[in-house]
Amino acid sequence: MIVICSDTSLAADPQISEDLKSISQAYFLPLYPNMVEEEDPIPMYAQKLLVTLIEYGFVNVSDILHLKTVAQCFLFLVGDLSNANVSNVKLCLALASAPDMDPKILSELRVVRKIGNLLEFVTAKGMEDFLEPTLDLCRAFILCGIGRNKGEALSKKPALLCDNGFDMSMAVHQRHSINDIGDFGFNMGIFLELAGSPEPQIADLASDCAVLLLRAAPRDGTMGFLANLPKVAHVMQSLNNEASQLQLLRIIYALAFCCRQYLAHAMILSIPVSALVQVETFVSALKQSNLEGVSNAASYLGMELERMPHCV
């Protein structure tokens, strides 16, 4: 079936396409739960085939959106991560990204910490083919918790993060949030590091994860962001160019949001004054930026930074 799918001339044939859908529904899907419990390498091939069938539209994600099958797809996260394959991650991504995925199912899995561990692992090992789908999986989980429409709006206009009206409109969505989404706060350092990546898609996904997490889990996200403040100035410097303007705005407004959260909730967190001064110095320079929106964003952030305690 994978060979047929990869042959565009065959996959485009209406009759073959219909036959593949029929075979998938009648034979493959009913057997899938048993195949993933067989000895290796059968589970790997079963998952690879399922990913292929989903990608080519022969299987709908809605066909497998029940707790047992979804839980099986995420089982690889509890084992040795060095044995994971990209198909594992892509399958989980397809499930988490499905419009009709119930956040309650993802919440019951309690795998956010494990996904974060996977991100740390693939980053440390330089597993480039894993990095983008893993970041995408992080983003899909966060989006599922806050609502895709609101999340997409925030991705495009990060200034909304500091908009009180937008803040109030999130309340309904967060009632259905993923319970352990705040565990991604432990991975904020990686999100920030990857936000400064020279790879545009990686930088985009990572900076987006950072901003969205602050909305999905304000306290945990803020603690994680401010704990990694020494990295922020470097990240902003690497993003200070026209091609990375949106990513730079995300980091600027993310830090402004964190400053507000820190003061509003009297958070107990030691912030290095040297890191704060370094950020302030660079933000001051950004006030003269010609990049669209950056000057105003830097001015706004500058005011928030002035309110932060500067005690040694």
Side-chain angles (χ1 to χ4, degrees):
M1 291 177 77
I2 292 177
V3 173
I4 295 174
C5 290
S6 60
D7 188 327
T8 54
S9 61
L10 291 175
D13 185 296
Q15 185 57 53
I16 292 178
S17 178
E18 194 60 38
D19 289 343
L20 281 174
K21 286 182 181 179
S22 178
I23 292 171
S24 300
Q25 295 289 333
Y27 298 102
F28 177 69
L29 287 181
L31 291 173
Y32 178 79
N34 294 326
M35 285 191 285
V36 294
E37 293 180 351
E38 293 286 345
E39 294 183 2
D40 291 335
I42 293 176
M44 180 184 70
Y45 287 121
Q47 287 193 335
K48 185 175 182 179
L49 178 55
L50 180 57
V51 170
T52 301
L53 293 172
I54 290 173
E55 287 179 345
Y56 284 88
F58 299 128
V59 167
N60 296 319
V61 174
S62 57
D63 295 329
I64 55 174
L65 287 185
H66 42 84
L67 184 58
K68 182 180 178 181
T69 300
V70 173
Q72 285 178 322
C73 294
F74 283 88
L75 272 179
F76 80 98
L77 291 169
V78 302
D80 184 350
L81 293 178
S82 62
N83 293 327
N85 60 73
V86 176
S87 293
N88 293 138
V89 183
K90 287 184 176 180
L91 179 54
C92 292
L93 174 59
L95 293 170
S97 303
D100 41 0
M101 167 58 82
D102 185 349
K104 292 180 181 178
I105 293 179
L106 297 182
S107 191
E108 287 181 34
L109 296 176
R110 301 199 70 83
V111 293
V112 169
R113 181 70 65 89
K114 295 179 178 64
I115 295 172
N117 290 342
L118 175 65
L119 178 63
E120 300 268 355
F121 180 81
V122 301
T123 302
K125 297 293 184 180
M127 300 165 68
E128 295 182 4
D129 53 335
F130 275 79
L131 190 51
E132 185 174 330
T134 303
L135 274 171
D136 224 345
L137 179 59
C138 295
R139 182 178 183 272
F141 258 71
I142 301 170
L143 276 177
C144 198
I146 64 177
R148 281 184 174 78
N149 290 339
K150 295 292 184 183
E152 295 293 349
L154 186 56
S155 296
K156 296 174 183 176
K157 296 182 179 180
L160 290 172
L161 189 62
C162 300
D163 186 314
N164 290 330
F166 186 78
D167 183 70
M168 292 298 293
S169 71
M170 297 296 294
V172 174
H173 288 291
Q174 290 190 325
R175 292 177 192 168
H176 306 289
S177 181
I178 296 171
N179 291 336
D180 58 338
I181 202 69
D183 285 349
F184 275 138
F186 293 104
N187 307 111
M188 187 62 88
I190 290 292
F191 290 149
L192 286 171
E193 286 180 21
L194 294 176
S197 169
E199 295 294 328
Q201 186 62 17
I202 298 300
D204 184 59
L205 283 169
S207 61
D208 205 15
C209 284
V211 168
L212 294 173
L213 180 60
L214 289 172
R215 174 49 56 217
R219 183 174 183 82
D220 295 303
T222 294
M223 294 289 281
F225 197 101
L226 292 179
N228 288 278
L229 190 61
K231 299 177 181 179
V232 173
H234 173 72
V235 172
M236 288 196 293
Q237 287 172 354
S238 66
L239 295 174
N240 189 23
N241 58 77
E242 189 172 354
S244 303
Q245 175 235 356
L246 176 58
Q247 290 75 31
L248 176 59
L249 286 173
R250 286 173 180 163
I251 299 302
I252 291 174
Y253 281 111
L255 180 53
F257 176 86
C258 289
C259 291
R260 289 175 57 178
Q261 287 287 307
Y262 178 86
L263 294 169
H265 300 284
M267 292 183 175
I268 301 174
L269 178 68
S270 177
I271 299 176
V273 176
S274 58
L276 198 58
V277 171
Q278 185 182 19
V279 170
E280 285 180 314
T281 301
F282 187 69
V283 169
S284 180
L286 285 179
K287 293 177 183 178
Q288 310 303 319
S289 174
N290 292 322
L291 297 176
E292 184 180 354
V294 171
S295 177
N296 289 339
S299 296
Y300 178 79
L301 174 56
M303 291 188 292
E304 295 297 337
L305 288 170
E306 287 178 3
R307 299 172 58 218
M308 295 289 285
H310 287 63
C311 302
V312 179

